[in-house]
Amino acid sequence: MLETSAIFSISKSMTSHNSINDFKDVANFEPNVDQLANRFKTQQTKGTIDVWWIYDDGGLTLLIPFILKNDALWRGSKLRVFSVTKDMNEINNQQNSLVQLLNKFRIPYSAVRVLSNSDQMPAEETKNRFIKLMSKSMSTLTDEQTVDSLQEEVIRFKDKTNRYLRLREQIAENSRNATLVVMTLPIPRKHMVSAILYMAWIETLTDNMPPFLLIRGNQSNVLT
């Protein structure tokens, strides 16, 4: 399990701004919009568009990569589809269902894989990355009540955090060399998860990855 106590036992010197400048400030990070836009205007090298379909959002996460692949700039890329399940006994059934869905809507693909994310815990390196990221965010808080609330929240959602940390490792293992990674955006549940913890999950999933596109449909079927 994620050792949440490690987040809270960091000394003041460890959480000073001077000691954590090497970590990205999620709240203040501003992407280069022009650079991102140009990414979709130039001919792409032949590679893969990897779709991580984590939730059924009505099919938008599958539809957008399919449209991209049909564009001349991305036509040389192959489409690979990944999904995850907590139940190892359902891997084959879920993989067959996903293949049938892709075939039904005539979406060409080069590979379909369903992975288990229930057995193996995230590595220490991955956990430490997340702990340092949270420490960075917590060091900017001045209200002790807010800090206490965030500490309780991290403990309450430690299982979900571990699943996201393990998912990051699976994405890195399978899609490190992808031309583009497309993933279903986890739902930000208002009044249930703070912005700091939610953005730490997103940063953990996408940091130091290939170009990453997060998509979230509204559960309305867009595949016809």
Side-chain angles (χ1 to χ4, degrees), residues 108-141:
Y109 58 90
S110 64
V112 173
R113 289 192 63 191
V114 176
L115 308 173
S116 171
N117 67 347
S118 61
D119 289 343
Q120 189 174 351
M121 298 304 298
E124 289 299 320
E125 180 182 356
T126 308
K127 290 189 287 187
N128 290 337
R129 176 195 292 266
F130 180 79
I131 289 172
K132 291 173 180 176
L133 181 63
M134 286 300 298
S135 299
K136 163 74 172 182
S137 298
M138 291 174 67
S139 70
T140 64
L141 301 176

Side-chain angles (χ1 to χ4, degrees), residues 134 138 141 146-154 194 196-197:
M134 286 300 298
M138 291 174 67
L141 301 176
T146 303
V147 173
D148 292 340
S149 176
L150 183 58
Q151 291 174 349
E152 294 173 359
E153 183 183 34
V154 171
S194 68
I196 289 178
L197 181 58

